[in-house]
Amino acid sequence: MRWPDHVIWWHAYPLGFVGAVPGEDVPDEAQPEPRLGRLHGWLDHLVELGCNGLALGPVFASETHGYDTVDHYRVDPRLGGEDDLQRLIDEASQKGVRVLLDGVFNHVGRSFPPFADVAAKGDESPHRNWFHADLRTFEGHDRLVTLNHTEPEVAAYVTDVMTHWLERGIDGWRLDAAYAVPPEFWRTVIDRVRARFPEAWFVGEVIHGDYASLVEQTGFDSVTQYELWKAIWSSLNDRNFFELAHALGRHDEMLGTFVPQTFLGNHDVTRIASRLDDERQLAHALVILLTIGGVPSIYAGDEFAFEGVKEEREGGDDAIRPTFPAHPDETPGYGQTHHSLHQELIGLRRRHPWLVHARTTVDTLTNTALSYTVGHGDQRLAVVLNLDDEPAKVDLPDADWTCVAGRADFSEAGVTVPPAGWAVAEP
């Protein structure tokens, strides 16, 4: 198994985490704010949670929110300097924690020097071909200028950026808006980077579409599994496990080609605690995430049941990207039920590392009751879920099942799951 088969990511959005407000004045490059140091105090929390990967949102110099990058070689002065990022990478490595950086290579901010040169000189700029003839922007965002991915110099630039930071000790890249970039561009860049860093891991942000085909075309290791994310919260809210069962079948098909990156939350979506109608179902969602195939990630704060609604307006991401205290034990929800449940279930997954490749077989399916087994080779676990306010009777394959998490009555006659209950069992 390669290292990505063992990683469980803890995903943080650094600018929000350290209290850098998108609209604040960016400090002088020569006197950056060393705020990245705040994340050092959270590395032990990450490890104690059971995670061993730190997935960072944008850390490079940008105009506002990090996704309008102006220099991919320079740390955002609101976070610190390169030495501050290097210290974080080194300390994470010493604790056995992998580091993933967020690469925004579909578009840039208008202050990106090559674009500023084009804006000033037009066709006379040596960087004119880095951008489309119509200087198009990304999805209607006027401040995000789309790169021309047919230009060889752009591919060379992105390759150099990736290798630059891999040389400094990171382990891989999340590729922002990967769905908007021609697959052949990714294939060119990733093949070049892999020639020097064969162990690097690449996950593309893909919202919908033919995930498996895109992986094969681009050379990605993984993509963001938005289909499953939507099915988890939607099936719980609608009390419709048929939707989830269908998504699990689709998920198994993907596992035949690649291992998806699975999640309940990230910096772009409403927090799962705000998305679910019944707070009791936070446990069900987490059980599903941590008992099926995939490379899972925990969005920082979800372990404390943070709430936050994403809104389609300026500043509409602020609620899902809050500032964190300097120390984990100062955080609301620390040490409480949902935090402990994360530790329990991540620990369960750690004891069964084969789950990364596990396939799912549904055994009982009703609107409000679901039982399934997950397996890889001769390894198996069973999961039972009940959304109803009455006990539910479900079936599992014959085995001497022993409950290892949650609560249910396993007997020769079947399994009885308490109201709004769940359980995980070993044969």
Side-chain angles (χ1 to χ4, degrees), residues 27-42:
D28 186 273
E29 180 181 351
Q31 294 181 314
E33 296 277 352
R35 289 165 161 161
L36 270 177
R38 177 170 293 196
L39 277 159
H40 289 261
W42 285 79

Side-chain angles (χ1 to χ4, degrees), residues 12-206:
Y13 175 77
L15 288 168
F17 195 100
V18 305
V21 180
E24 76 175 53
D25 292 335
V26 176
D28 186 273
E29 180 181 351
Q31 294 181 314
E33 296 277 352
R35 289 165 161 161
L36 270 177
R38 177 170 293 196
L39 277 159
H40 289 261
W42 285 79
L43 289 175
D44 286 339
H45 166 77
L46 179 164
V47 173
E48 290 166 3
L49 197 63
C51 298
N52 61 343
L54 173 61
L56 293 171
V59 296
F60 304 128
S62 72
E63 294 178 344
T64 57
H65 46 56
Y67 289 96
D68 44 4
T69 314
V70 298
D71 190 341
H72 296 85
Y73 296 99
R74 182 164 57 92
V75 174
D76 194 301
R78 292 168 294 174
L79 296 174
E82 181 172 341
D83 288 346
D84 297 297
L85 179 57
Q86 190 66 62
R87 276 192 290 272
L88 181 61
I89 294 168
D90 292 345
E91 185 176 344
S93 179
Q94 291 168 10
K95 294 178 182 293
V97 174
R98 302 280 182 169
V99 176
L100 189 75
L101 290 188
D102 202 338
V104 188
F105 302 122
N106 173 64
H107 49 269
V108 294
R110 287 185 173 271
S111 300
F112 181 62
F115 182 76
D117 193 65
V118 171
K121 300 177 183 176
D123 291 345
E124 300 304 313
S125 170
H127 296 103
R128 183 64 187 86
N129 289 340
W130 282 42
F131 306 93
H132 297 279
D134 57 0
L135 301 181
R136 70 190 61 166
T137 56
F138 176 56
E139 295 183 349
H141 300 284
D142 183 62
R143 301 298 302 177
L144 305 180
V145 185
T146 303
L147 290 164
N148 174 16
H149 297 97
T150 65
E151 170 55 46
E153 289 186 12
V154 172
Y157 174 80
V158 173
T159 301
D160 191 67
V161 171
M162 286 189 180
T163 56
H164 175 86
W165 292 104
L166 285 162
E167 287 169 351
R168 281 151 181 78
I170 71 162
D171 298 280
W173 288 93
R174 172 197 179 268
L175 302 172
D176 183 67
Y179 58 88
V181 176
E184 55 271 19
F185 174 86
W186 291 127
R187 172 60 73 176
T188 296
V189 169
I190 289 175
D191 283 355
R192 292 174 180 174
V193 177
R194 279 200 203 281
R196 289 190 55 195
F197 297 94
E199 292 301 307
W201 189 68
F202 301 91
V203 55
E205 182 198 16
V206 181

Side-chain angles (χ1 to χ4, degrees), residues 291-313:
T291 59
I292 61 170
V295 176
S297 72
I298 307 298
Y299 184 45
D302 281 357
E303 70 269 38
F304 306 125
F306 273 18
E307 296 182 348
V309 176
K310 178 183 174 67
E311 299 178 2
E312 297 301 325
R313 59 173 178 81

Side-chain angles (χ1 to χ4, degrees), residues 239 280 284 366 368-369 385-394 415-422:
R239 296 166 69 89
R280 296 177 300 176
H284 297 76
T366 72
T368 57
L385 303 166
N386 178 20
L387 302 182
D388 207 338
D389 291 325
E390 299 295 330
K393 183 76 176 292
V394 299
V415 186
T416 301
V417 192
W422 61 273

